[in-house]
Amino acid sequence: MPDETKTAPRRANDSMGKVLLVAVSLSVVCSIIVSTVAVALRPLQEANKTLERKRNILLAAGLYREDEDIDLLFEQVEIRLVDLATGEYVEGVDATTYDQYRAAKDPDTGVVIPRDKDLAKIRRRAKDAPVYLVRDSTGLRSVILPVHGYGLYSTLYGFIALSRDGNTVQAMRVYEHGETPGLGGEVDNPDWLDKWQNKLVYDTDGQVRLAVVKGVVDSDSPEARYQVDGLGGATMTSRGVTNLVRYWLGEEGFAPFLARIRAERS
Ligand SMILES: Cc1cc2nc3c(=O)[nH]c(=O)nc-3n(C[C@H](O)[C@H](O)[C@H](O)COP(=O)(O)O)c2cc1C
């Protein structure tokens, strides 16, 4: 009768050294494949990001057509760089490749926002920001401004399009955020974004009055023209949106530029 208490003799390929060698080689090969694919796909990811940004600018400008080429449609948009402190256009820098978020991090091209002025909770901003202009036969039709700021869990990135008066909202777009789906995540819901249309940014004293309120706007109130319905169960994200709008359309942001284009019209 065979002795079942004895283990079978170990075959050469079962040795611990070989098992480890196979495991390590497999992980090395897999990590090389993953990192090669990641590096190879990076330019494609960057190109897609740029395309998505253009699509959102076109959506804000009311120029987006689903079956038309985004780059071709984007030829209607003029990109300029603005010195936020003066509101003047910046010459000599390629606005098409300028990265406002990278510029914010560089001490030469970015500034620290004083705490008491940092409504959007972004700490730093670039000295210069891109603006996107759309003209028609009568002159400037839309000014599309990039905005960003902190919601509850994440930085929200978007565009606000204003009409030639530099005060009436044509559209609001939020294209990137990390808020909770169904709660703060509703910030990119087109139905909610549509509620921004025709709202006013500045009151008669030139102060930013536009705000997201808690609940539903009372349409009979004189304030209604400056107010947008809040996001249900997401008061913090809603407040974040109010704050980022107030920062970017205020004196620290695009207010000097908008004042300048208003003055040029009159
Ligand atoms: C899992 C979870 C996710 C939440 N996500 C968000 C969010 O994305 N944005 C937000 O403002 N509030 C979010 N909240 C709710 C906030 O914690 C807070 O209660 C809310 O902003 C208060 O708004 P309300 O007065 O409209 O309820 C979340 C709560 C929970 C439990």
Side-chain angles (χ1 to χ4, degrees), residues 152-153 179-180 183-184 214 233-237:
L152 177 59
Y153 295 123
E179 303 295 282
T180 314
L183 291 168
K214 198 173 160 78
T235 301
M236 307 305 282
T237 306

Side-chain angles (χ1 to χ4, degrees), residues 23-79:
V24 170
S25 320
L26 241 147
S27 9
V28 169
V29 170
C30 287
S31 52
I32 289 174
I33 292 173
V34 170
S35 42
T36 310
V37 170
V39 169
L41 288 182
R42 195 166 298 150
L44 201 67
Q45 281 171 341
E46 287 301 319
N48 278 343
K49 250 178 127 171
T50 307
L51 214 61
E52 186 55 14
R53 198 176 153 80
K54 285 182 178 174
R55 194 176 78 89
N56 275 287
I57 294 166
L58 291 170
L59 277 163
L63 295 173
Y64 180 68
R65 306 280 171 268
E66 207 163 323
D67 43 4
E68 289 183 37
D69 183 80
I70 289 180
D71 284 319
L72 217 61
L73 288 172
F74 206 74
E75 285 176 9
Q76 300 166 80
V77 180
E78 182 190 350
I79 314 176

Side-chain angles (χ1 to χ4, degrees), residues 53-216:
R53 198 176 153 80
K54 285 182 178 174
R55 194 176 78 89
N56 275 287
I57 294 166
L58 291 170
L59 277 163
L63 295 173
Y64 180 68
R65 306 280 171 268
E66 207 163 323
D67 43 4
E68 289 183 37
D69 183 80
I70 289 180
D71 284 319
L72 217 61
L73 288 172
F74 206 74
E75 285 176 9
Q76 300 166 80
V77 180
E78 182 190 350
I79 314 176
R80 300 294 302 264
L81 266 193
V82 167
D83 177 338
L84 293 173
T86 62
E88 300 288 334
Y89 289 125
V90 178
E91 309 294 345
V93 182
D94 182 1
T96 58
T97 55
Y98 177 77
D99 184 337
Q100 174 189 9
Y101 304 108
R102 193 175 301 151
K105 291 180 196 150
D106 185 328
D108 292 334
T109 51
V111 288
V112 174
I113 303 167
R115 259 173 170 243
D116 59 326
K117 293 188 173 158
D118 190 12
L119 284 177
K121 297 203 204 108
I122 51 177
R123 298 205 187 129
R124 300 185 63 89
R125 69 153 170 79
K127 290 177 189 163
D128 304 333
V131 296
Y132 304 89
L133 310 173
V134 177
R135 300 180 196 277
D136 61 17
S137 54
T138 61
L140 193 60
R141 181 172 75 74
S142 310
V143 182
I144 299 118
L145 309 170
V147 292
H148 68 287
Y150 220 76
L152 177 59
Y153 295 123
S154 65
T155 308
L156 309 160
Y157 294 88
F159 293 104
I160 187 162
L162 303 180
S163 64
R164 70 186 80 216
D165 65 1
N167 195 14
T168 310
V169 179
Q170 288 179 331
M172 176 75 170
R173 302 286 313 163
V174 175
Y175 62 91
E176 196 180 317
H177 67 84
E179 303 295 282
T180 314
L183 291 168
E186 288 296 293
V187 74
D188 61 11
N189 184 328
D191 290 340
W192 182 70
L193 293 169
D194 280 351
K195 294 177 192 281
W196 287 74
Q197 235 175 47
N198 295 323
K199 298 293 175 180
L200 296 183
V201 177
Y202 300 101
D203 63 16
T204 44
D205 297 331
Q207 296 302 309
V208 185
R209 187 90 147 257
L210 183 59
V212 181
V213 296
K214 198 173 160 78
V216 178

